[in-house]
Amino acid sequence: MELTVWRTFVTVCRLGSLSAAAAELHHTQSAVSRQIAGLERQLGVPLMERHARGVRPTAAGEVFRHHALATLNEADRAVRAARVTGDGAFSRPLTVGATPSLAAGIVPEAVRALLQQAGAIRWTLLPGLSAQLHHRVTTGDLDIAVVTDAPPGLPHDPRVERRFLGLDDMVVALPVDHPLAERGPVRMRTLADQTWVEDNDGSAALLHQHAARAGVSARIDLTAADLPGKLALVATGHAIALIPGVLTRALRTDVTTVSLVDPPARGIYTITPRRDPHPCAAPLLDLLATAFASIHPVHAAHRLSDTDAHPAGPALHDGMADA
């Protein structure tokens, strides 16, 4: 199969339109249609279905899109690597992985500090879920990954080094005009009558668990496809959401947060391969720890409990699905 056809398919999925994809790829619409049809014949399954506003992938198409996109990304990396070493010189690029919320905040901040110290370094940031990032570290695709101990947790793998950065308290995202905006820590029972939105089963389980511990229930009436979609529904006033605290400084301007009494927390870790580590991995680890500490200078070890008025003990490690 030609990667050109794969790229066409991924573009159609992203744009949801054959004509829009044709325009972006400088093809005719009929040529795009023929490529998709040919790909479907090769695979023996329908990949696209029409709807009122264009096209969307079938279930088989969505699975193929996911793997095709990963393959195309790797192919692009291979091309770039060949071009930059064409003169015989080799400068190993740094490839960093991070969960979405960490990729939106502390990781770019730490890499910026690294570039200021070490000068120009070619680097790539690849967001993903913790299990995926762990696998890519073990296969050599990533030089370092910043992950969480969210369920199913981090495996004890002798092939990687793991470093604990700290605990990240979860916070509640609200539209800026919400009555609770700008207030201090709130108890979960104060939010019992709110509509919530979640983007994955793990995060929803965490919310239900935290609400149950407070003796109330959380009504999750809306579901988003991903973290940006979740925040869009918050921004437009449809719901509120539980989000990672590390995301607070990278939020869109029409979303604010309020902290929780006795908030759930998740552990943040870096993982690096034991063999052939990148020369920049060690200094980046220290800079990531500094960036994380700047968000959590003093972890909330003296938080009030949501069940009584006494200082809480160590943060509860409820965990959550990656964000």
Side-chain angles (χ1 to χ4, degrees), residues 211-317:
R213 195 167 68 235
V216 297
S217 60
R219 193 177 74 247
I220 303 175
D221 288 343
L222 294 174
T223 301
D226 51 25
L227 186 57
K230 179 175 174 177
L231 294 175
L233 289 172
V234 171
T236 48
H238 293 288
I240 64 175
L242 196 65
I243 65 170
V246 293
L247 191 60
T248 301
R249 294 198 300 190
L251 285 177
R252 45 192 290 173
T253 58
D254 48 5
V255 172
T256 189
T257 63
V258 64
S259 58
L260 285 167
V261 173
D262 189 22
R266 60 181 189 166
I268 307 298
Y269 296 81
T270 60
I271 52 174
T272 52
R274 290 185 183 273
R275 297 183 60 184
D276 192 26
H278 193 283
C280 292
L284 181 56
L285 288 174
D286 293 335
L287 293 169
L288 285 164
T290 300
F292 184 80
S294 71
I295 297 176
H296 298 284
V298 178
H299 191 269
H302 303 292
R303 298 172 300 194
L304 289 178
S305 168
D306 205 10
T307 56
D308 56 49
H310 301 289
L316 293 176
H317 240 170

Side-chain angles (χ1 to χ4, degrees), residues 145-232:
V146 192
V147 298
T148 80
D149 59 3
L154 296 173
H156 294 284
D157 192 328
R159 295 172 294 178
V160 303
E161 294 276 0
R162 189 167 72 189
R163 177 175 174 179
F164 179 62
L165 295 183
L167 290 176
D168 179 33
D169 286 344
M170 305 298 291
V171 298
V172 178
L174 309 166
V176 291
D177 58 353
H178 193 281
L180 293 177
E182 308 301 329
R183 288 186 54 177
V186 299
R187 297 182 184 277
M188 187 64 191
R189 55 180 169 267
T190 304
L191 305 170
D193 62 344
Q194 299 286 312
T195 296
W196 295 79
V197 57
E198 278 303 343
D199 59 337
N200 60 69
D201 292 339
S203 184
L206 174 61
L207 177 58
H208 285 310
Q209 183 182 25
H210 184 64
R213 195 167 68 235
V216 297
S217 60
R219 193 177 74 247
I220 303 175
D221 288 343
L222 294 174
T223 301
D226 51 25
L227 186 57
K230 179 175 174 177
L231 294 175

Side-chain angles (χ1 to χ4, degrees), residues 3 7 71-87 93 122:
L3 291 185
R7 200 176 302 278
T71 299
L72 291 169
N73 288 337
E74 289 300 312
D76 290 340
R77 288 178 59 197
V79 170
R80 289 194 298 268
R83 286 174 176 169
V84 299
T85 58
D87 59 358
R122 292 181 295 111

